[in-house]
Amino acid sequence: MCENTSYAMPRIGDKAPEFKAVTTQGEINFPSDYSGSWVILFSHPADFTPVCTSEFMTFASMEKQFNEANCKLVGLSVDGLYSHIAWLRTIKEKIEYKGMKNVEVNFPLIEDITMEVARTYGMLQPGESSTKAVRAVFFIDPKGIIRTIIYYPLSLGRNFDELYRVLIGLQTADAFSVALPADWRPGDDVIVPPAGSCGVAKNRMEGKEDMKCYDWFFCTKKLDKEKVLKTVLKK
Ligand code: BEZ
C-alpha cells in the first residue's frame, strides 16, 4: 500500500469495513465471524507498554461481563503475532496490578504489522503518532453496523465502566425505542421520542400521558432497572 493512500474513516451508521486477520486466537474474518453478536473492536498503541497493559488487564477481567451482554472483544495493535503472544504471557505470568493477577487474555488480539486494518479504521492519527495506533473503540452491532466510536490519545487509558455503559445504553435504546439522557445508567428515566403532532405535544403538556415533561419536546418516562437487565442481559 502506498504511503500517501488516503482512507475514508468509517463513521457511525456505516457498515464495519471487512478484513481478514491473524490473531492470538487464530484467523478471523471481520465482522462476519461476529454476526449476531455485538463487538467492541479496539486498538492500542503497542505491546509491552504500561497504559496498554493496565487496559488489557482491565478488559480481560471484565470480558465475562461484556460476553453476558452478547458482546465480544477484539483488540488490535500494529505489533506482530509473536510480540502479542509474549506480551500476553508476561501479563499472565508476571503482572499484578490493582488486585488483578494471573490475568489471561482470551479475546483475539490482531497483528497488524502492515497497518492496513488500523488505516482502514482511522486508528492511525499522524498528529498523535504515525507509527502507533491511538486508543480507538468501535462498537459494532449484531448486523455489522458501527454504532459508536470513541478515541483516546496515547497518554490516557480508557474508562471501562463507560465502555460498558455505552454498550448497555445502545442495547437499551434499541430494545425500548428510547433515547438516553446525560450520564444515564440502568434504572434512570429515559427520553421518549419527541411529540410528532401539536395534539400529542398538548396532551403531554397537560399531563395526559404517563411521562414527565420538562417542556413539550423533552419528556421522560420510567424504565425499571430489572426490565433493562432482563432484556439486555437475559437475567
Ligand atoms: C502506554 O501504553 O503506556 C503507551 C503507549 C504508547 C505511548 C505512550 C504510552
Side-chain angles (χ1 to χ4, degrees):
M1 190 65 56
C2 303
E3 271 297 302
N4 58 0
T5 302
S6 66
Y7 290 81
M9 279 170 59
R11 292 166 297 195
I12 291 176
D14 287 354
K15 258 197 111 32
E18 293 176 7
F19 63 84
K20 193 182 209 168
V22 170
T23 84
T24 49
Q25 302 289 327
E27 209 168 271
I28 59 168
N29 287 291
F30 196 90
S32 56
D33 287 353
Y34 298 89
S35 168
S37 291
W38 286 79
V39 192
I40 294 179
L41 172 67
F42 68 100
S43 55
H44 73 276
D47 298 344
F48 293 101
T49 50
V51 180
C52 299
T53 300
S54 70
E55 291 192 310
F56 264 66
M57 293 183 77
T58 308
F59 233 162
S61 302
M62 292 175 75
E63 188 184 9
K64 186 163 172 276
Q65 196 180 331
F66 280 91
N67 289 169
E68 283 172 359
N70 188 30
C71 180
K72 307 246 169 75
L73 307 176
V74 180
L76 173 148
S77 86
V78 300
D79 293 297
L81 183 64
Y82 299 124
S83 165
H84 285 348
I85 293 171
W87 180 45
L88 300 188
R89 285 176 61 86
T90 302
I91 287 176
K92 178 164 163 44
E93 288 163 14
K94 300 210 179 113
I95 313 284
E96 185 171 346
Y97 173 70
K98 285 198 169 173
M100 296 179 279
K101 63 177 183 179
N102 291 120
V103 174
E104 195 158 336
V105 175
N106 293 315
F107 54 81
L109 175 50
I110 295 168
E111 78 157 2
D112 190 28
I113 302 172
T114 62
M115 304 190 194
E116 181 66 22
V117 179
R119 284 200 185 94
T120 304
Y121 272 82
M123 293 163 169
L124 280 173
Q125 307 206 351
E128 180 74 344
S129 168
S130 52
T131 54
K132 294 177 171 69
V134 295
R135 301 180 199 282
V137 191
F138 288 81
F139 293 78
I140 298 165
D141 75 13
K143 293 187 177 139
I145 304 296
I146 296 170
R147 300 291 300 279
T148 298
I149 306 171
I150 307 177
Y151 288 105
Y152 294 71
L154 302 189
S155 56
L156 177 65
R158 287 163 268 224
N159 180 322
F160 289 85
D161 289 337
E162 171 63 1
L163 301 188
Y164 187 70
R165 189 190 77 93
V166 169
L167 176 71
I168 300 300
L170 290 167
Q171 296 185 5
T172 301
D174 284 359
F176 296 97
S177 302
V178 293
L180 305 168
D183 294 332
W184 177 87
R185 292 195 164 269
D188 292 348
D189 289 356
V190 298
I191 296 175
V192 297
S197 71
C198 294
V200 172
K202 184 166 176 284
N203 284 347
R204 287 186 180 184
M205 288 312 286
E206 288 172 357
K208 290 185 181 155
E209 296 194 34
D210 189 18
M211 51 185 71
K212 176 178 166 74
C213 289
Y214 299 88
D215 202 337
W216 67 270
F217 65 91
F218 181 8
C219 299
T220 61
K221 67 175 183 185
K222 297 208 170 305
L223 181 56
D224 288 345
K225 183 173 182 176
E226 290 66 37
K227 208 166 165 183
V228 169
L229 299 184
K230 203 169 162 196
T231 304
V232 171
L233 304 179
K234 317 276 182 272
K235 273 187 179 165

